[in-house]
Amino acid sequence: MSLSGLLRHSASRNVGAFCRQLSGAVTKEKIVTLRHQTGLGLDKCRSALIAKEGNVEEAAAFLKEEAKKYGWAKMEKLSGRQSTQGLLGVIHSDDSQSVSIVEVSCETDFVGRCEPFVELVHSAARTFHKHSRSLLPVGQSVAVGQFDFERMRDMQVDGGSVSLADHLAEFVGVIGENIVIRRGTSITSPLLSSYAHSVSVPARDDCQFSHICTVADLHLLSAETAYSADQKQAARRLCQHLLSMQPEDPGHAMAARPYNLDSVRAAHKDLLAEKFVLDESKTVAEHLEENGLAMGAFFRTQLGQE
């Protein structure tokens, strides 16, 4: 055999050995794992694993970067399409002093319940909750702030180096619908209660998912007692009443503390006189008083609200 023929034969054997080695590195299990991590199709996951010689972590990073690039182009293309479905992500702090609500919309109910979209809402809510207090005015004990996406876009997701805007683009590239982070709402007070009406998407860590949510600013009638578990449950039931009956808030949202309870009761006179929806044998006022609570402002928001 000639020298050139020997070299061709050797190269062919090396390429064949490489392909067999690569085929062994790109296993079905790795493809499925990568698909679960990224939400992308099997063909894209297989191609990425081949390009990265079977390394799942490198393939995932490669696909996320490609999805981000594709997502920015896709976002511009899809921006005119109507998005009326979606979720609210609601986080109530452990100390009951802050509530953050993020609204994320999409085009279809199917996408609104799929795992990648739920994860986007979860990460957006966590990111906003972490950064939102710095956006509120200083020196007010009761504060409500609503912020559009332009005020949120540069927030870093989970303390990393990815902005919320890039994070959104990545998910648009994966999901392929017009997805919009419409607004974030931050509420702070010495004592808050909230109720997010449950949907088919289960809560995740500290985040609840809903289409409508109510938050109430509260006051303990006795300053000498701590906020008990029974009072916490009573406050949550009050929020359920506010969500169900949908009363109007007479603009008491930015009232300064300490409360003038007479003025609070006057502002909510009609509401306090209503029959309590979860126990019609009593009024809202009676429900509050027997649990040692008074209500100040309340806030209600729902998906698609202008």
Side-chain angles (χ1 to χ4, degrees):
M1 182 182 293
S2 66
L3 178 59
S4 60
L6 183 62
L7 290 173
R8 284 195 301 273
H9 177 69
S10 175
S12 174
R13 290 183 63 188
N14 288 339
V15 169
F18 174 76
C19 288
R20 286 192 296 275
Q21 181 181 358
L22 188 57
S23 176
V26 181
T27 63
K28 179 181 178 181
E29 289 75 17
K30 288 183 178 180
I31 294 171
V32 170
T33 297
L34 187 58
R35 183 171 189 249
H36 179 73
Q37 287 182 8
T38 63
L40 294 171
L42 294 174
D43 288 342
K44 289 185 178 179
C45 291
R46 183 185 295 110
S47 298
L49 282 167
I50 290 172
K52 298 301 177 181
E53 299 183 15
N55 188 305
V56 175
E57 289 74 20
E58 290 183 8
F62 170 77
L63 286 173
K64 286 191 174 186
E65 189 60 33
E66 290 300 301
K68 188 191 303 179
K69 293 176 185 176
Y70 175 71
W72 278 113
K74 195 77 170 175
M75 283 172 69
E76 185 174 353
K77 182 179 179 180
L78 299 175
S79 61
R81 284 168 41 171
Q82 193 173 29
S83 54
T84 58
Q85 304 297 315
L87 288 171
L88 302 177
V90 182
I91 296 180
H92 188 123
S93 66
D94 291 338
D95 62 7
S96 295
Q97 293 185 355
S98 68
V99 175
S100 298
I101 307 166
V102 170
E103 179 182 348
V104 187
S105 61
C106 58
E107 296 179 41
T108 63
D109 179 62
F110 173 77
V111 165
R113 291 180 284 109
C114 76
E115 171 60 26
F117 182 80
V118 174
E119 178 53 35
L120 171 62
V121 178
H122 182 213
S123 57
R126 288 177 57 190
T127 299
F128 179 69
H129 186 68
K130 179 179 179 179
H131 295 277
S132 59
R133 286 199 186 192
S134 63
L135 301 177
L136 292 173
V138 177
Q140 290 181 281
S141 58
V142 184
V144 180
Q146 286 191 295
F147 308 96
D148 61 19
F149 182 60
E150 287 304 308
R151 296 286 301 276
M152 301 164 60
R153 60 180 299 118
D154 293 327
M155 293 178 177
Q156 299 299 298
V157 177
D158 290 333
S161 58
V162 178
S163 70
L164 191 56
D166 281 342
H167 194 54
L168 173 61
E170 179 188 319
F171 276 87
V172 171
V174 170
I175 297 171
E177 278 197 7
N178 183 28
I179 299 173
V180 181
I181 299 176
R182 292 200 177 278
R183 65 177 65 87
T185 302
S186 180
I187 306 168
T188 62
S189 163
L191 184 58
L192 292 170
S193 181
S194 65
Y195 177 72
H197 185 66
S198 62
V199 292
S200 58
V201 180
R204 183 168 303 184
D205 298 330
D206 54 353
C207 184
Q208 292 180 290
F209 303 100
S210 182
H211 292 156
I212 183 168
C213 175
T214 300
V215 182
D217 173 38
L218 299 166
H219 175 77
L220 297 179
L221 292 180
S222 173
E224 298 177 0
T225 59
Y227 187 41
S228 70
D230 287 343
Q231 286 176 315
K232 186 174 183 179
Q233 180 62 22
R236 188 171 185 273
R237 287 163 63 85
L238 169 69
C239 289
Q240 287 178 270
H241 176 94
L242 296 172
L243 187 146
S244 299
M245 303 306 290
Q246 300 188 18
E248 293 297 322
D249 180 9
H252 198 68
M254 304 307 291
R257 287 172 177 257
Y259 281 109
N260 180 327
L261 292 180
D262 290 335
S263 67
V264 171
R265 291 189 180 106
H268 293 301
K269 180 179 177 182
D270 292 339
L271 168 59
L272 294 171
E274 289 179 357
K275 288 191 177 298
F276 185 51
V277 72
L278 299 179
D279 182 355
E280 293 193 351
S281 69
K282 63 183 74 172
T283 64
V284 173
E286 289 168 342
H287 170 72
L288 288 167
E289 287 173 12
E290 71 183 25
N291 286 284
L293 297 170
M295 184 183 73
F298 62 88
F299 177 87
R300 183 176 57 249
T301 188
Q302 64 186 72
L303 185 70
Q305 178 178 304
E306 295 300 330

